[in-house]
Amino acid sequence: MKDIFDSADGQLARAKQLYSRHGRFLDSIGDYVVDLFLFGGLFAFLLRSGIHPPLAFFISLTGFFGISLRVSYHVFYQTSYLHQKKQYQTNRVTEELREEDYHEDAVTILLQRVFFFLYGWQDRLMNRLDLWCLGDIKRRNESAIAGWYQDTAGLLLGGFLGFGTEFVLLTICLLLNNIQLYLFFTIIILNCVWISAIFYRKIFLIRKIVRAEEMEGG
């Protein structure tokens, strides 16, 4: 239900042209709070199941940071794609305070500061990861950069790392009364998908773009 309403409010805001920086930050901070409660609850469940407290804490913390970083990866490429298409540029790739941000109301500025504290380091990490994967493509032409951020397979792989996947898996595992299965998927399987998405870009997408450039030039 959280995932459905979370998607619906964003779609409605965009359809009615009612989106704002204020809502953008509030939405992401809300997601962070939901994750804290989710993995706090999982930590309590592991303790009640007899798991040693340090191990229960480690598992919960690993799950929390795993989902946070995977979603940041997904949002980074989704936002980069939208910027390439010149669509919905309310979201920035990185959200450090800029001079124009100080013209916003006090609540929006406060929300942006909280957002940057929670997500700023993740956004910087995703940017560095992207630059590592890009290699020398960043020195190529605009067509190569467009191919990098608009690649369908790369976006589909990243799409599996969003909140939707997490909440579907969690719902199924709750219905099966098997939280351990959810932890296996979120800590092992989805992190493997994330690694696959990274190396798809680092190895295969680079080759695809270089071949396309060679064909255009040849």
Side-chain angles (χ1 to χ4, degrees):
M1 291 296 289
K2 187 270 179 195
D3 192 43
I4 291 169
F5 285 120
D6 189 34
S7 298
D9 70 346
Q11 295 290 346
L12 186 62
R14 285 187 284 275
K16 291 193 170 186
Q17 299 291 305
L18 295 174
Y19 49 80
S20 65
R21 300 280 291 164
H22 183 112
R24 180 263 189 279
F25 298 128
L26 193 61
D27 181 79
S28 295
I29 293 168
D31 288 338
Y32 196 92
V33 172
V34 167
D35 284 344
L36 279 177
F37 276 102
L38 169 61
F39 286 96
L42 288 171
F43 174 63
F45 169 81
L46 292 172
L47 288 178
R48 285 194 334 206
S49 300
I51 304 296
H52 198 53
L55 179 58
F57 181 75
F58 174 76
I59 292 171
S60 303
L61 193 65
T62 301
F64 174 74
F65 278 111
I67 187 174
S68 296
L69 292 172
R70 290 194 304 271
V71 171
S72 289
Y73 178 91
H74 163 68
V75 170
F76 177 90
Y77 283 106
Q78 181 187 55
T79 304
S80 298
Y81 167 78
L82 291 172
H83 280 230
Q84 282 284 316
K85 289 289 190 178
K86 302 188 185 305
Q87 299 174 6
Y88 190 59
Q89 299 187 39
T90 301
N91 287 16
R92 300 175 189 158
V93 177
T94 58
E95 289 289 1
E96 65 279 353
L97 276 163
R98 301 177 185 177
E99 185 176 347
E100 62 266 27
D101 296 327
Y102 289 101
H103 298 292
E104 298 280 359
D105 61 275
V107 175
T108 301
I109 294 172
L110 175 62
L111 289 172
Q112 185 170 357
R113 290 184 187 278
V114 174
F115 175 93
F116 190 71
F117 174 76
L118 298 176
Y119 290 103
W121 67 273
Q122 298 182 53
D123 291 340
R124 291 192 296 272
L125 178 61
M126 295 308 126
N127 187 55
R128 290 185 180 182
L129 184 61
D130 181 61
L131 290 174
W132 175 71
C133 291
L134 268 168
D136 64 352
I137 287 181
K138 61 180 177 289
R139 293 189 292 271
R140 296 177 183 269
N141 57 38
E142 289 184 9
S143 175
I145 296 299
W148 180 261
Y149 291 113
Q150 297 179 31
D151 179 71
T152 302
L155 290 169
L156 283 173
L157 278 171
F160 285 113
L161 304 173
F163 276 122
T165 303
E166 294 285 345
F167 288 125
V168 168
L169 284 172
L170 178 60
T171 301
I172 292 171
C173 293
L174 284 171
L175 291 171
L176 294 173
N177 196 27
N178 194 336
I179 294 299
Q180 292 87 345
L181 181 62
Y182 169 72
L183 289 170
F184 171 76
F185 270 103
T186 194
I187 294 174
I188 305 297
I189 301 299
L190 289 178
N191 281 331
C192 287
V193 174
W194 182 29
I195 292 169
S196 299
I198 292 169
F199 280 97
Y200 166 76
R201 288 186 174 275
K202 180 65 178 175
I203 298 171
F204 298 103
L205 183 53
I206 282 181
R207 292 176 183 173
K208 177 182 174 181
I209 291 173
V210 170
R211 283 198 302 269
E213 283 189 313
E214 289 173 349
M215 290 177 65
E216 288 177 5

